[in-house]
Amino acid sequence: MADLSTSLGRLRLPNPVLTASGCAAAGKELSQFFDLAEIGGVVTKSIMLRARSGRATPRMAETPSGMLNSIGLQGPGIDSFLAHDLPWLKKTGARAVVSIAGGHTDEYVALAKRLFNHPVDLIEVNISCPNVESRGQVFACDPIAAGRVISAVRRAAHPNVPVFAKLSPDVTDIGVIARAVTDAGADGISLINTLLGLEIDLDTLQPALAGVTGGLSGPAVRPVALRCVWQVHQSVPHLPLLGMGGILTGQDALRFLLAGASAVSVGTAVFHDPSAPVRILRELDAELDARGFRSVADAIGFAHKSPEQRAALLGRPSETVPA
Ligand code: RRO
């Protein structure tokens, strides 16, 4: 059995499989299917300052090998989250990664301050929701705006709590955005958020989503996500990455580690297999073992390494490792 432990900045995790934001609120529904403390952590739905009902319905549409969502940041707001959801989640023994979202830098700062005295293991700063009122609010599309939000949150958050920036794939060069948030003080990067998409309903001859556009997730986006992890690892090699996008199996999770992720989030898969995170964790363990990896740490970024480094990590002569 491989050593599955990993870290996201100063946060140590027993294993590298977490849930993905937005696919299971604060984890209560998933806890009917498995022990939340068994996985690396639970990433909450992005929380905002005030309760929101989100966009009009329909707000989900199936697409080939994926789905579109146009939820529009529905949620209970920070007061209810701190009073009910977070205490409940921590009582399960799970590590709590709290995703925060806002329309302005001040809102992100206010959220980070509200979280200061609560048991939060990591803050994921969602600057990449595609379902906001204007594209100008997708801060992750602009290196200056992205850096501004992240540096303000880093200053406001508890110094012991890692701050991760969640990036969008819908940019020309994700490496530029990654460097901007790193320079702004991000302790790590989560990627990717959904890609902006659209579906037309042939019965109504109208867009399938009331919000017209939505975020594409699921296996359809996995190669895009993997490419983003690869590029960001090259751009900021020392920064821990939380990789996600269409992960359905342990093999998928392993691909993200090899491309440079220190841990992965499982999202869309839970809609048809609610215990996917624990299944993927078991499968990942077997996949590591089958390839001679003694630890998750040895697999992180492995695909970027030279043949000599790869041979040393696997404890094998270099001529037995594929060039
Ligand atoms: O709530 C949403 O519509 C949503 C969010 Br906050 C996000 O970050 N990504 C997404 O696909 N949907």
Side-chain angles (χ1 to χ4, degrees):
M1 215 179 115
D3 172 2
L4 294 175
S5 64
T6 189
S7 27
L8 292 174
R10 58 168 63 210
L11 175 63
R12 291 289 299 166
L13 299 175
N15 65 68
V17 179
L18 294 84
T19 62
S21 178
C23 297
K28 211 171 252 177
E29 291 82 357
L30 286 188
S31 71
Q32 304 167 58
F33 299 92
F34 64 92
D35 175 2
L36 299 180
E38 228 185 285
I39 59 170
V42 172
V43 185
T44 69
K45 168 80 181 154
S46 296
I47 199 79
M48 299 191 77
L49 278 180
R50 276 166 287 282
R52 267 167 78 104
S53 51
R55 281 184 170 175
T57 58
R59 41 193 202 180
M60 305 261 262
E62 271 194 63
T63 61
S65 299
M67 57 171 262
L68 285 169
N69 86 81
S70 160
I71 307 300
L73 287 146
Q74 180 190 352
I78 190 74
D79 291 337
S80 172
F81 177 78
L82 291 178
H84 306 291
D85 300 337
L86 186 59
W88 178 87
L89 181 57
K90 285 307 295 181
K91 228 194 265 165
T92 66
R95 285 142 293 275
V97 176
V98 177
S99 171
I100 59 172
H104 305 277
T105 303
D106 295 352
E107 289 177 28
Y108 286 94
V109 168
L111 287 160
K113 286 185 176 160
R114 293 295 311 277
L115 293 173
F116 198 94
N117 290 317
H118 292 269
V120 173
D121 294 288
L122 188 146
I123 296 175
E124 185 176 86
V125 188
N126 186 359
I127 51 174
S128 48
C129 173
N131 301 324
V132 286
E133 283 84 19
S134 90
R135 290 303 289 169
Q137 286 182 353
V138 187
F139 303 109
C141 291
D142 171 10
I144 294 171
R148 198 179 297 133
V149 174
I150 296 303
S151 77
V153 171
R154 185 53 287 175
R155 274 184 270 119
H158 193 291
N160 291 343
V161 176
V163 168
F164 274 44
K166 181 144 181 198
L167 299 191
S168 169
D170 287 339
V171 292
T172 306
D173 186 348
I174 197 165
V176 169
I177 312 290
R179 275 194 298 278
V181 295
T182 304
D183 293 347
D187 302 294
I189 291 174
S190 299
L191 70 170
I192 57 171
N193 208 318
T194 52
L195 287 93
L196 192 65
L198 183 142
E199 179 63 301
I200 297 277
D201 180 334
L202 286 180
D203 291 326
T204 63
L205 309 180
Q206 293 287 301
L209 298 169
V212 182
T213 58
L216 181 66
S217 63
V221 311
R222 184 167 62 77
V224 175
L226 213 46
R227 179 268 295 172
C228 289
V229 168
W230 177 274
Q231 290 179 328
V232 169
H233 181 75
Q234 289 199 318
S235 171
V236 286
H238 302 297
L239 214 65
L241 308 181
L242 175 56
M244 72 209 73
I247 295 174
L248 285 188
T249 66
Q251 291 196 349
D252 295 341
L254 177 58
R255 290 186 173 100
F256 277 76
L257 299 184
L258 299 174
S262 292
V264 297
S265 276
V266 175
T268 305
V270 303
F271 290 115
H272 61 87
D273 176 10
S275 40
V278 275
R279 172 182 55 75
I280 290 169
L281 177 56
R282 276 196 303 274
E283 290 173 359
L284 174 63
D285 194 3
E287 296 294 340
L288 287 163
D289 247 11
R291 288 166 180 77
F293 284 107
R294 285 168 297 221
S295 66
V296 160
D298 286 351
I300 297 168
F302 187 86
H304 295 265
K305 300 196 191 294
S306 68
E308 293 73 27
Q309 288 172 314
R310 282 185 270 147
L313 282 166
L314 293 177
R316 300 207 323 231
S318 48
E319 57 276 13
T320 67
V321 175

